[in-house]
Amino acid sequence: TRIFQDNVLNQLARNCRFLQRERKVDPFTLMLSMITTLGSGKVESLADLHRSYNFLSGENVAYKPFHNQLAKPAFADFMRHAAEYLLERLIQQSLKVPLKGAFSEFKRIVLQDGSSFAVKDTLSAVYPGRFHTISPAAVELHVSYDVLNDKLEAVKLTEDTAGERSYLPTAEQLTDTLLLADAGYFSRDYIASLIQTRARFIIKAGGKINPVIACCHTPSKKRKNLSGVKLKSALPYLSKKQPNDLMVQWQTKKGDDFTCRLIVTWNPVTKRFQTLVTNLPRSRYHPARVIEAYRLRWQIELLFKEWKSYANLKGFNTGKPQIVEGLIWGSLMAATLKRYLACCTQALCQVEISTRKVAMCGIHVLIDIVKALTCPQKSGLHDAITKALNYFKDNARRAHPKRDRLKGRLKIGLVPYFANA
């Protein structure tokens, strides 16, 4: 009730000039109806959202005036501000780091990545796509996600052609944080800034890098001394059976020298070496542990999968960019609310919960919760939430918690967060 206050969210609508005078389409109810519909099942068209609003509000608004409200430029602004408001508050810790040993120094583990999808071709002037013939119009969401606290640290919506590195968190934002990012975010200047501020990171590097090896901390073939050798020249002497732990020297674009650690491993599938750049200290993080930690980045891919499969994050058949943007924020709010309920169930019921199963089960519980939120006194909300948490406790447990500890997300020593445990 502190989060979903109709007066607060309607004031957001006024500030954005989405609500200028009282109409049948109430912003608070509109937002809740979109969260319910986008998070409950497959949405084919805007007409599904229209019918959902009429059901939840008890009004009989015709489709055209409903569509006219969504077509306002201020609709996208309202939904974005509402999403920022909710995402900042719908936070419940999901995982904990161990009290001692590796990773105990971090309060956050932030995963950085982007997710793109096509929108209607007529929007190519507003949202140009990278692949002109296949998807002339496309958008991308640039996301910083804290996997421990299940929190979206930052979400930026841009055209698909926007550069990814511009949306990386700054070094000053990474205090007590471990950053994981894929090869698209590799930048020597950015890595140098992280090293200078002692921000910790593991970033995948592409195959084109060729730093100078300062020293090799693992045995090389033929006992070759690799100090002073370029990485590509040293590849024939690196082990394919175990990770190679190197210290390498690089230069920024300005010519400033810096050194960092490079973990090089052989991929038998692609038959190529792959590299991870990090500044985690060797004394606490041996190469295998660094590799295991980087695999945690897969959790953001699962997050994107949830958004697209169970929250209708897609390009609707509309040529109005404000409607496209507004529905994107609605999808994120729906997905975040379900994840929040999943984490609450885990914390309160002391059982390990699958966010994917909760995302799939949203259709059975969201409508009761949202209907209670639209009541003036929020009557029935306690019962609706209690029913939802008990339902998730019985039907959305993680299938293989032991496997999670052996080779899954908990392998590096993370544990599920339980309240008062």
Side-chain angles (χ1 to χ4, degrees):
T1 56
R2 289 195 301 268
I3 296 172
F4 289 94
Q5 298 185 57
D6 54 354
N7 59 332
V8 173
L9 289 159
N10 280 334
Q11 185 59 48
L12 278 178
R14 291 188 182 91
N15 295 342
C16 300
R17 301 190 65 78
F18 177 61
L19 177 61
Q20 298 186 52
R21 61 178 183 268
E22 299 297 330
R23 295 179 179 272
K24 281 189 174 183
V25 180
D26 170 62
F28 176 69
T29 308
L30 174 64
M31 182 200 71
L32 288 179
S33 70
M34 289 193 169
I35 289 176
T36 307
T37 312
L38 293 169
S40 296
K42 188 175 182 180
V43 180
E44 297 286 350
S45 65
L46 299 181
D48 293 329
L49 300 171
H50 167 239
R51 288 187 287 268
S52 174
Y53 177 80
N54 281 347
F55 173 77
L56 187 63
S57 66
E59 300 284 354
N60 188 23
V61 180
Y63 178 78
K64 186 173 181 179
F66 176 82
H67 183 274
N68 288 343
Q69 291 298 305
L70 269 58
K72 290 181 178 179
F75 170 66
D77 293 335
F78 166 61
M79 293 295 283
R80 184 179 69 256
H81 286 294
E84 291 171 354
Y85 173 84
L86 293 179
L87 299 185
E88 185 64 31
R89 290 161 176 79
L90 288 172
I91 302 168
Q92 173 61 55
Q93 188 174 354
S94 174
L95 300 171
K96 293 192 300 184
V97 294
L99 294 177
K100 296 180 180 180
F103 304 102
S104 61
E105 64 199 88
F106 300 117
K107 295 180 180 178
R108 300 184 302 157
I109 298 179
V110 171
L111 318 180
Q112 180 75 27
D113 207 349
S115 180
S116 61
F117 57 92
V119 294
K120 194 170 183 180
D121 290 354
T122 54
L123 291 171
S124 59
V126 181
Y127 295 123
R130 284 176 290 175
F131 309 103
H132 305 292
T133 55
I134 302 173
S135 302
V139 297
E140 182 163 7
L141 288 166
H142 305 271
V143 180
S144 298
Y145 169 63
D146 176 10
V147 71
L148 295 182
N149 299 298
D150 203 63
K151 179 183 178 182
L152 293 173
E153 297 276 340
V155 183
K156 299 294 183 182
L157 173 65
T158 68
E159 66 277 11
D160 192 32
T161 53
E164 295 177 321
R165 296 174 189 170
S166 303
Y167 301 95
L168 280 162
T170 64
E172 292 72 23
Q173 294 173 320
L174 295 174
T175 304
D176 300 325
T177 301
L178 174 63
L179 172 68
L180 308 180
D182 70 3
Y185 295 95
F186 175 82
S187 164
R188 286 176 294 172
D189 287 1
Y190 181 68
I191 289 172
S193 70
L194 296 181
I195 292 173
Q196 186 175 8
T197 58
R198 298 185 179 180
R200 301 302 190 187
F201 62 88
I202 307 174
I203 300 177
K204 190 173 184 179
K208 294 182 179 180
I209 65 167
N210 196 24
V212 175
I213 298 174
C215 58
C216 180
H217 293 274
T218 47
S220 60
K221 292 180 182 178
K222 302 179 182 179
R223 299 183 180 180
K224 173 74 172 179
N225 182 7
L226 300 179
S227 299
V229 179
K230 289 270 192 174
L231 176 64
K232 290 188 177 180
S233 300
L235 291 180
Y237 301 99
L238 297 182
S239 173
K240 294 182 179 179
K241 295 181 180 180
Q242 64 179 6
N244 301 274
D245 194 352
L246 312 175
M247 186 62 72
V248 297
Q249 295 176 333
W250 256 312
Q251 278 190 341
T252 64
K253 290 182 180 179
K254 293 182 179 179
D256 298 325
D257 295 326
F258 69 94
T259 60
C260 65
R261 195 175 169 199
L262 198 68
I263 309 299
V264 184
T265 54
W266 176 254
N267 187 326
V269 177
T270 61
K271 298 188 183 303
R272 293 180 180 178
F273 282 104
Q274 53 192 23
T275 54
L276 295 175
V277 184
T278 185
N279 64 343
L280 290 174
R282 187 171 293 101
S283 58
R284 286 169 59 84
Y285 300 93
H286 55 77
R289 184 56 59 89
V290 174
I291 295 168
E292 290 165 2
Y294 182 75
R295 287 176 180 153
L296 194 63
R297 206 195 65 81
W298 182 247
Q299 296 302 311
I300 198 170
E301 301 293 349
L302 298 179
L303 177 69
F304 294 154
K305 175 68 174 176
E306 282 182 23
W307 290 357
K308 293 180 179 180
S309 298
Y310 309 116
N312 288 281
L313 182 66
K314 61 181 182 179
F316 283 85
N317 186 25
T318 175
K320 303 285 187 181
Q322 59 269 32
I323 296 180
V324 170
E325 181 179 348
L327 296 184
I328 288 172
W329 295 120
S331 295
L332 266 58
M333 285 189 278
T336 302
L337 176 58
K338 289 191 287 185
R339 280 217 163 201
Y340 176 73
L341 293 172
C343 294
C344 287
T345 304
Q346 177 173 281
L348 297 174
C349 300
Q350 311 257 319
V351 294
E352 296 182 42
I353 295 295
S354 165
T355 56
R356 177 177 177 270
K357 288 182 179 179
V358 169
M360 297 168 69
C361 294
I363 188 172
H364 305 300
V365 302
L366 280 184
I367 187 62
D368 290 339
I369 294 175
V370 169
K371 284 179 68 176
L373 286 171
T374 58
C375 295
Q377 304 302 323
K378 305 293 189 288
S379 58
L381 181 58
H382 181 274
D383 291 342
I385 291 178
T386 301
K387 181 180 178 181
L389 299 189
N390 286 329
Y391 174 72
F392 292 147
K393 180 188 70 173
D394 296 333
N395 296 276
R397 298 191 182 203
R398 293 190 70 86
H400 304 287
K402 291 183 179 179
R403 186 178 66 186
D404 289 345
R405 290 162 174 78
L406 291 175
K407 55 182 180 181
R409 63 183 188 144
L410 306 181
K411 188 176 180 180
I412 64 173
L414 303 181
V415 294
Y417 174 79
F418 298 140
N420 302 320

